[in-house]
Amino acid sequence: MDTLDSLKTELLAAVEGAADMAGLEDVRVSALGKKGRITALMGDMRTLSPEERRERGQQLNALKDAVADAIEGRRAVLKRAELSARLAAERIDVTLPARPETEGRVHPISQTVDEIVAIFAEMGFTVAEGPDIETDFHNFTALNMPEEHPARQMHDTFYLPPGPEGGNPRVLRTHTSPVQIRTMLSQKPPIRIISPGRTYRSDYDQTHTPMFHQVEALVIGEDIHMGHLKGCLLEFVRAFFQVDDLPVRFRPSFFPFTEPSAEIDIGCSRKGGELKIGNFGDWLEIGGSGMVHPKVLENCGIDPARYQGFAFGMGIERMAMLKYGIPDLRTFFEADLRWLKHYGFVPLDQPNVAQGLTR
Ligand code: DAH
């Protein structure tokens, strides 16, 4: 009896002393394995009388259960300790700053588009899109430029063969204005959209590239007037250029799709050959605008007796050049990594009006 008790004490101590899973397994094998000590004692019972065997068997079973329970208990403890150790070893410090030097840069055109969208989004505009390959109808006819209209010649259009449905040649859109048409054909007033995107004209020199970007705006409602157009532009250019008293001026002009039409000028200075944006008395053109022509509304199934609205269009490269002091238009499209590194933006600094557009 004594020996069983001391064996139990010894084995339980060994179980408690096992430092890891492998050590615990060694203890298990030495006690309960095929050649283990308890297993051996059980084998020895063959020599006993039936009564002795019953008593001894109960004692040995009790010992075996006690040791097995202790092993299970110890296994759970070791498992938990192992997990804690692993969690500690694999811990990631999420408070570490992002890599100090992110390699990629956001192109100034993308940055400028993001800024423009952020400003207009806050004024309640949504972003509308249209295809780069347009129909003659959307790019010209519906915008009050019927075939043979002289205004078509102002756009150095890239023509493509007619689409599968035949009809007129298709074009690479020469401006973002066809998105006005697509929006009015698919949406009912009130409408308040901007549409930034690529545009194409067959022209290449210091101030023209065959692909460039514009942003279009369109607002249609029952009581929209030119005051809204001017207020909206004023709000936009002041937010975009971050000049609180930047003035906007309308200069009478002509576009077939607006009546009246006006060119948009903002204040600037050219003193000493240096261009500065601000309230300095000189003027710089940034885009075209006007009240949507009744015929254009009609072409889109909108009743001009009930609805009216304004539209404007601006060149995005020009806006980017003015804001960020980029001197040469053609560099935008040269994909020169040194240029991008210099003029590009850190991807994690997303423009938003609340935190400032650029930091
Ligand atoms: N689509 C014109 C262009 O590319 C710009 C423009 C002028 C857009 C007047 C407008 C507008 O929406 O109202 O030259």
Side-chain angles (χ1 to χ4, degrees):
M1 216 31 239
D2 233 19
T3 49
L4 279 196
D5 273 347
S6 65
L7 178 60
K8 180 175 172 184
T9 312
E10 185 194 330
L11 288 176
L12 292 184
V15 168
E16 280 318 301
D20 53 25
M21 290 298 216
L24 185 63
E25 179 63 6
D26 288 345
V27 177
R28 191 191 66 78
V29 171
S30 75
L32 303 172
K34 259 196 200 134
K35 293 182 180 149
R37 291 163 73 184
I38 297 178
T39 318
L41 291 174
M42 288 195 152
D44 293 345
M45 289 198 302
R46 267 172 296 152
T47 58
L48 299 178
S49 70
E51 296 87 67
E52 282 174 325
R53 198 185 297 168
R54 182 163 348 108
E55 195 189 336
R56 181 77 171 165
Q58 278 169 1
Q59 291 166 350
L60 283 176
N61 271 332
L63 172 60
K64 187 176 148 193
D65 289 348
V67 172
D69 282 353
I71 289 174
E72 271 324 300
R74 184 70 187 151
R75 197 194 303 277
V77 170
L78 288 176
K79 252 202 170 137
R80 239 175 290 132
E82 223 170 55
L83 180 63
S84 307
R86 188 167 155 214
L87 285 174
E90 293 178 6
R91 179 162 174 271
I92 295 170
D93 184 354
V94 291
T95 65
L96 281 177
R99 279 180 299 166
E101 188 61 13
T102 26
E103 274 302 313
R105 286 289 182 277
V106 173
H107 194 282
I109 292 294
S110 305
Q111 172 77 16
T112 304
V113 167
D114 289 349
E115 291 175 20
I116 292 171
V117 168
I119 295 168
F120 280 106
E122 198 169 65
M123 289 196 251
F125 284 70
T126 53
V127 173
E129 285 183 299
D132 289 16
I133 297 177
E134 259 303 0
T135 67
D136 181 273
F137 171 78
H138 293 91
N139 195 79
F140 292 124
T141 313
L143 286 162
N144 201 25
M145 284 184 267
E147 268 169 73
E148 311 304 327
H149 192 287
R152 287 193 178 202
Q153 278 144 35
M154 282 163 42
H155 298 207
D156 305 284
T157 311
F158 284 113
Y159 284 95
L160 300 168
E165 66 289 342
N168 283 318
R170 289 172 302 168
V171 300
L172 291 181
R173 64 179 182 188
T174 57
H175 49 179
T176 42
S177 301
V179 184
Q180 289 188 33
I181 303 301
R182 290 186 175 272
T183 304
M184 288 190 280
L185 285 174
S186 63
Q187 259 170 255
K188 286 200 163 51
I191 290 171
R192 203 188 291 176
I193 58 109
I194 58 162
S195 185
R198 293 186 175 163
T199 47
Y200 306 83
R201 289 184 201 182
S202 179
D203 205 351
Y204 188 62
D205 61 33
Q206 228 176 14
T207 54
H208 298 88
T209 49
M211 189 278 291
F212 57 104
H213 298 76
Q214 288 188 341
V215 58
E216 193 80 13
L218 175 70
V219 174
I220 305 284
E222 291 191 47
D223 51 6
I224 302 296
H225 54 72
M226 274 193 95
H228 294 127
L229 168 60
K230 184 152 185 184
C232 178
L233 281 167
L234 205 58
E235 188 73 22
F236 165 67
V237 296
R238 288 179 176 183
F240 180 79
F241 289 107
Q242 289 158 346
V243 178
D244 288 343
D245 61 346
L246 186 59
V248 165
R249 174 179 86 166
F250 284 145
R251 217 166 0 88
S253 184
F254 171 80
F255 300 103
F257 33 90
T258 43
E259 181 58 39
S261 303
E263 243 136 7
I264 310 159
D265 293 348
I266 57 171
C268 77
S269 151
R270 294 186 173 84
K271 275 216 187 81
E274 194 199 342
L275 184 65
K276 267 197 296 200
I277 304 295
N279 189 6
F280 301 118
D282 206 353
W283 298 98
L284 177 75
E285 184 202 321
I286 59 160
S289 67
M291 298 303 292
V292 179
H293 198 293
K295 278 196 185 153
V296 174
L297 294 172
E298 240 166 49
N299 290 342
C300 300
I302 292 178
D303 178 6
R306 179 164 172 209
Y307 292 105
Q308 52 186 348
F310 68 75
F312 59 83
M314 279 178 299
I316 290 177
E317 281 78 1
R318 188 161 167 82
M319 298 296 278
M321 289 166 82
L322 290 172
K323 180 164 179 179
Y324 294 114
I326 302 172
D328 185 345
L329 171 71
R330 289 186 283 200
T331 55
F332 277 97
F333 309 113
E334 281 169 356
D336 181 337
L337 282 178
R338 290 164 306 174
W339 182 88
L340 192 57
K341 187 113 191 142
H342 182 77
Y343 286 111
F345 294 83
V346 176
L348 295 172
D349 283 343
Q350 280 290 309
N352 80 66
V353 178
Q355 292 181 11
L357 295 171
T358 37
R359 274 168 279 160

